[in-house]
Amino acid sequence: MTSRTPRDSRLRIVRPRHLAAARKAVASRTTRRASRPPEGTPAPAELARLARFFLADAVRLARWSDTPDGHAVLDADDAGRAATALDLTPRQVRAAWDAARLAGLVELHAGTVRPGWRLRAWDRDDSAVLRGWVALFDAWPLVHPAPAGTAPAVSGEIVEAVPQLLSVLQLSGTMPLPLLLDLLDQRVTELRTERCEVPYGPGPLAPEPAAAEPAAPVPATDPDALPELLSWALRGLAAVGALRLSADGAALTPLGSWAVWVKLEQICVAAQSPAGNIEQAAGAMLLGCARLTPGQARAEYRAWLAARPVGSAVTDLLGAARGEDALLRALAFEALRVVGAPAETAVRAAVDEPGLRPYALMWLAEHEGADPDDVPSVLTREESTWLWVDTAAAVADHGETELLVRHLESAVQGTVPALLDEVRSVGHPRTVQVLVAIAAAHPDPALAKAVRRAAFQVHTGGS
């Protein structure tokens, strides 16, 4: 509470909750209930432990390659040295090398190999570990190539049919191979029928192109080859740790079941989003997520990110953050927290931009493992004040007067006069509008008068 004398108005010193204040500005009571993984799914920490165990050889090889002996192309000599150093067979070295590259543990730069961002975060970031394993899961056809002589179109049909097989396995548990073969045959037939559908009904007829080259026919999937193709798919999924094969058939591993749920959840999140957020540009997506709880918003961010390359997604999010809407700035960096380590380089570059600097510094502090309660301390007094004004602008644009008045409590200054003096000096472009909005909203006439006077001084350039 504040007194009626501005000079004696004490402000409670509390931990700034800038994003929380911005989010409350547009909070809605109608939010979607977050989906949960299937019953029996291990906790994320346990899933990450399983992924670390499965990729242990790949991690060891990736760390071995971060030496003068490492090379971009693992030739026979390199594989031999790695096998000796890591006590692996040359075949295991090759498999570990492929897994390391596909999981983002190593990256190739100008002919040399360097540790990937996931390797740097491997021991401390469970989400980075799980994203690395999912990247390997998505690349199973590269880990285990199709049988020799298989036409690319045919192997593509099998890859396209696999998600339905995995969904059925998640519901049914272990399934015998004959049932899986029948299901694969049905799904491949459906896919070919869908591609060959011709729309019926009235419509303009397109002129026949002159001298058109006949399209290359898609080779039909030989029914006799389906058992071999099914075996290829199952062995490929088992090679990345998603399936467990036995004499009775095939079953998903805990990691495989979780990955199938993640993929389905991304589809469901997009389908349930009132604004179709997964198809929206970054700014519209962020505004669409502003009314959700933090957990639900993170699910939306993950679905949106999964639908586009990570580099362009980070660029789009930072572009939204550079706009005039302060709420988008806060939400963009919340979405970048979901991106994680792949956004680090771009966020470090954003530190040099005054409008993004406070957000970028706090993002980097969190990314580097700082305690959440200590994150605000990475900002200088001036940066904290700038961020306070920016958050106040978000509340003024999207919130209610009560929230704006309560936002005074999050200031780092101990008194209202000290706050006004520092707000005038930080040079935020929305300072005048923020002060005018606070003066109009505050019930204390004396304090409102002091705030209006400060707004006038900023507007006229006075002191």
Side-chain angles (χ1 to χ4, degrees), residues 140-141 144-152 155 158 225 227-233 235:
W140 70 263
H144 193 73
T150 304
S155 60
I158 303 302
E228 183 183 11
L229 293 171
L230 173 64
S231 176
W232 161 61
R235 284 184 281 115

Side-chain angles (χ1 to χ4, degrees), residues 100-410:
R101 292 187 62 179
L102 294 171
L105 296 170
V106 294
E107 300 172 353
L108 304 183
H109 297 270
T112 59
V113 70
R114 298 178 187 173
W117 66 266
R118 288 193 175 109
L119 184 64
R120 294 193 293 272
W122 196 256
D123 293 328
R124 59 180 172 82
D125 189 343
D126 288 348
S127 63
V129 173
L130 292 174
R131 285 197 299 268
W133 184 84
V134 169
L136 183 66
F137 167 76
D138 289 336
W140 70 263
L142 302 179
V143 174
H144 193 73
T150 304
V154 172
S155 60
E157 286 179 338
I158 303 302
V159 172
E160 195 174 354
V162 158
Q164 187 178 73
L165 269 66
L166 294 177
S167 298
V168 173
L169 279 171
Q170 188 184 51
L171 296 173
S172 306
T174 301
M175 285 191 67
L177 295 182
L179 286 181
L180 286 172
L181 182 61
D182 184 58
L183 182 62
L184 178 65
D185 188 13
Q186 293 179 32
R187 183 57 181 152
V188 168
T189 301
E190 290 173 358
L191 292 171
R192 295 189 64 83
T193 301
E194 291 170 2
R195 281 196 297 269
C196 295
E197 283 182 346
V198 178
Y200 292 95
L205 296 176
E208 183 176 350
E213 290 287 340
V218 176
T221 304
D222 184 356
D224 295 334
L226 274 181
E228 183 183 11
L229 293 171
L230 173 64
S231 176
W232 161 61
L234 296 179
R235 284 184 281 115
L237 290 163
V240 298
L243 279 185
R244 186 168 43 248
L245 302 180
S246 67
D248 296 330
L252 289 171
T253 64
L255 277 172
S257 178
W258 170 79
V260 172
W261 172 77
V262 168
K263 300 297 181 182
L264 292 174
E265 177 67 7
Q266 290 173 351
I267 297 171
C268 292
V269 164
Q272 294 172 5
S273 175
N277 289 326
I278 199 171
E279 302 292 341
Q280 298 293 325
M285 180 274 295
L286 293 171
L287 285 178
C289 294
R291 297 180 180 275
L292 304 176
T293 65
Q296 293 168 335
R298 284 191 293 272
E300 293 276 352
Y301 300 150
R302 283 191 289 269
W304 186 85
L305 291 165
R308 45 192 47 79
V310 65
S312 62
V314 169
T315 299
D316 292 346
L317 289 171
L318 287 173
R322 293 186 180 98
E324 296 182 358
D325 195 327
L327 176 62
L328 290 187
R329 239 182 314 281
L331 296 176
F333 277 86
E334 184 72 2
L336 288 169
R337 288 179 177 87
V338 175
V339 177
E344 181 177 354
T345 301
V347 173
R348 287 194 183 279
V351 169
D352 296 330
E353 302 181 42
L356 302 183
R357 180 177 175 82
Y359 295 98
L361 289 174
M362 292 198 301
W363 187 98
L364 291 168
E366 291 184 16
H367 177 66
E368 292 166 0
D371 188 284
D373 290 332
D374 298 333
V375 166
S377 66
V378 303
L379 303 182
T380 65
R381 180 73 163 246
E382 182 179 5
E383 290 162 351
S384 294
T385 303
W386 193 99
L387 184 58
W388 184 90
V389 178
D390 205 49
T391 306
V395 177
D397 289 343
H398 299 277
E400 300 174 355
T401 57
E402 179 184 356
L403 290 174
L404 196 58
V405 172
R406 288 164 54 190
H407 182 57
L408 282 170
E409 297 179 354
S410 68

